[in-house]
Every structure is written in structure tokens, then in C-alpha cells.
Amino acid sequence: MSEQEVRAEHILKGVMLTEKTAFQAESQNVYSFDVPLSANKIEIREAVESAFGVRVVSVNTITRLGRPKRHRAHFSHGQTKKRALVKLHPEDRISLY
């Protein structure tokens, strides 16, 4: 394994597979990935290009705060997550199914 492949495994935690993301993948060529909070757009772009061998046009990121929770008199929140929406070149596709 090369260094880029190892790095891609650490950056791309998983693929979001929902009805909405499936529709975006088919119609707009946009794929959703779970990524670490510390990952930036450049690292995400390089990870997707090296892992799947495609050309990335743009990367958008979304940070979702954890839901607030209450335990008697104490307040906390769930885990904060980051998602990356990756748009590919019109000629490229990723087969996830």
C-alpha cells in the first residue's frame, strides 16, 4: 500500500447511502462521505481521487453538531460529525452498490 492509499483510508470513514444521496449521485454526480472533523477540502479531494481513481470538481463540507442531551441536572451533547459532498467530473462515476 502506498502512503496515499493509507491516508485515504483515514480520511474517508464511510459513504452516506440514503435516498437523497442516491438521487444526488444519479442526477448531479455528487457523492457523500463521512470524514474526520480535522479533514480539510484539499485532503478530502486527494483522498477521493486516489481511492476511486476519479476527477473531483468541487468539495463542500458540512459540520453537524451533536444533539443536546440531558441527564438529570447535567447537560451534554452527542458526537459532532462532518460530512463531505464531493462533485465529480461528468465523465466519472463511483460504483457504490
Side-chain angles (χ1 to χ4, degrees):
M1 270 191 180
S2 69
E3 184 178 333
Q4 286 184 339
E5 291 175 359
V6 172
R7 186 146 178 84
E9 290 177 2
H10 293 321
I11 290 180
L12 301 177
K13 289 184 182 178
V15 179
M16 293 293 303
L17 292 177
T18 63
E19 289 182 30
K20 183 176 181 179
T21 59
F23 176 75
Q24 286 178 334
E26 291 175 8
S27 63
Q28 302 167 2
N29 209 16
V30 175
Y31 297 87
S32 300
F33 298 95
D34 285 328
V35 295
L37 292 172
S38 62
N40 61 31
K41 292 182 180 185
I42 296 168
E43 293 172 340
I44 295 168
R45 172 191 298 263
E46 292 172 355
V48 171
E49 287 177 348
S50 67
F52 298 105
V54 294
R55 295 171 287 180
V56 175
V57 174
S58 67
V59 177
N60 294 329
T61 58
I62 303 167
T63 303
R64 301 183 71 186
L65 298 176
R67 288 182 37 210
K69 296 181 181 184
R70 179 178 175 192
H71 303 284
R72 294 190 180 185
H74 303 287
F75 291 93
S76 65
H77 60 84
Q79 184 179 11
T80 301
K81 297 180 180 181
K82 189 171 189 178
R83 181 179 298 170
L85 300 172
V86 179
K87 183 170 186 164
L88 301 182
H89 190 272
E91 297 173 358
D92 294 336
R93 297 273 184 224
I94 296 175
S95 62
L96 299 175
Y97 312 107

